[in-house]
Each structure stands twice: as C-alpha cells, then as structure tokens.
C-alpha cells in the first residue's frame, strides 16, 4: 500500500435495541438527532471519511437492530470487522449486563486469533439523562477487566462523541 492509500475500516455497532445505536450514527455521521424512535430493520449502513494520524480513512459502520441477536445476521455481517463498538444505555442495567452476550456472540462468530486483544470500544449512551442506573465506576471496572476503552456519551447533545470515535478509528487502524 502506498502512503496515499485510503484505508477502509469496518466498524460493527452492537448493543440492545433502544440503547441509541442508530441515533449515535446519525449524530456522528449526519450531525443530527431526533427523538423519534424507528426500529432498524435488518442492518443500517453509515459511512464517514475522517483524518486520523494525518491519514485519510473511510469508516464504514454496520448498525443492526438488537432483537436480531439470536437470528442469523449472517457471516458477512461480522466478517472483516476492524473494531467492534459495544453500546449500552446508562439508564438500563440490563443493556449493560448484555454487553457480555454481545461480546461473546461477536467472538463466537468471528473467532479472532487472539480474542483477548481484539479491539472493542464500550460506549455508555444517554449520559445526558439524570437517571444514571449504571454507575460509572461499575462500567469502568468491567471495561478495565476486559481491556476495553470506555466513554460515557450522549447522542442527544453530542458530548464525548467525537472523542469516542477518534479512539474507535485509532483502534481500528491499529488492527488493519
Ligand atoms: P437503537 O435501537 O439502539 O438503534 O436506538 P435508537 O437510536 O433508535 O434510539 C432509541 C431511543 O433512544 C430513541 O427514542 C432515541 O431518541 C433515544 N436516544 C438515543 N440516544 C439518546 C441519548 O443520547 N439521550 C437521550 N436522552 N435519548 C437518546
Ligand atoms: Mg437502530
């Protein structure tokens, strides 16, 4: 590859239905937020070009509806993922607990050579809400144990979103 090549990163976005995956994509890619709830059917696709470490890269985001976990997302959905983003809702302990299942499912489907060092990033979304039922220290602890970077973010007001995605791009780039 020449220095002018434009790496393409495949980023998978996983998490329970309603945690805000699609809203987050719309915030980051389209700079837009809506309170309307429209469940994704199958997978949604978003693309964004960014500059990381002075390199132009294209990020392809694969976003899915959470309830599809135990149906067939298909091998193509998981194949070639450079970074896996695990999203939960800070007001929902269940969505946090389920990150274990999402991670396990991802690892089962992709069987990476070194599962312990595969790049995951954890995002606690809806940090704009007062009702924070997943304490930050609990989430931090789980992320430390699993060696995953962690950000509390809000797709609604945009807080920490740019920082989180810069990390996601960097982790994905290291994996390529
Ligand atoms: P998905 O099923 O994971 O794709 O979740 P959606 O993006 O469809 O969002 C589910 C609901 O949560 C919608 O009503 C969104 O408006 C709302 N939502 C998403 N992100 C945020 C956020 O950061 N803060 C708040 N307060 N609500 C959010
Ligand atoms: Mg969605």
């Amino acid at each position: 590859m020449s220095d002018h090549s434009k790496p393409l990163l495949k980023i998978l976005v996983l998490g329970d239905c309603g945690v805000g995956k699609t809203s987050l994509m719309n915030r980051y890619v389209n700079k837009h937020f809506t309170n309307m709830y429209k469940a994704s059917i199958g997978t949604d696709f978003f693309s964004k070009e960014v500059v990381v470490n002075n390199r132009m890269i294209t990020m392809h985001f694969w976003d899915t509806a959470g309830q599809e976990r135990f149906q067939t997302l298909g091998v193509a959905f998981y194949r070639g993922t450079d970074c896996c983003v695990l999203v939960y809702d800070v007001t929902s302990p269940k969505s946090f607990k389920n990150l274990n299942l999402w991670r396990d499912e991802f690892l089962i489907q992709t069987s990476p050579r070194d599962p312990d060092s595969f790049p995951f990033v954890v995002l606690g979304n809806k940090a704009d809400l007062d009702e924070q039922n997943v304490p930050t220290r609990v989430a931090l602890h789980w992320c430390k144990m699993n060696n995953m970077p962690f950000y509390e973010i809000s797709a609604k007001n945009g807080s920490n979103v740019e920082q989180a995605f810069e990390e996601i791009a960097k982790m994905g780039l290291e994996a390529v």
Side-chain angles (χ1 to χ4, degrees), residues 13 15-26 33-40 44 63-67 87 89 91 124-129 153-158:
V13 185
D16 284 3
C17 203
V19 297
K21 301 181 297 298
T22 306
S23 300
L24 185 58
M25 292 295 96
N26 274 318
F33 180 83
T34 166
N35 277 311
M36 285 216 324
Y37 181 65
K38 182 174 153 281
S40 322
D44 277 334
D63 167 29
T64 182
Q67 68 269 26
V87 188
D89 170 349
T91 70
N125 188 38
K126 309 196 188 181
D128 58 282
L129 297 175
I153 59 159
S154 167
K156 184 168 187 173
N157 67 21

Side-chain angles (χ1 to χ4, degrees), residues 88-93 96 99 122-145 148-153 160:
Y88 71 96
D89 170 349
V90 297
T91 70
S92 162
F96 175 67
L99 293 189
V122 177
L123 305 181
N125 188 38
K126 309 196 188 181
D128 58 282
L129 297 175
D130 291 332
E131 184 202 346
Q132 187 148 4
N133 300 322
V134 181
T136 304
R137 62 178 164 76
V138 172
L140 255 178
H141 179 72
W142 188 82
C143 292
K144 265 209 181 112
M145 297 288 290
M148 299 173 185
F150 166 60
Y151 294 85
E152 277 177 350
I153 59 159
N160 251 346

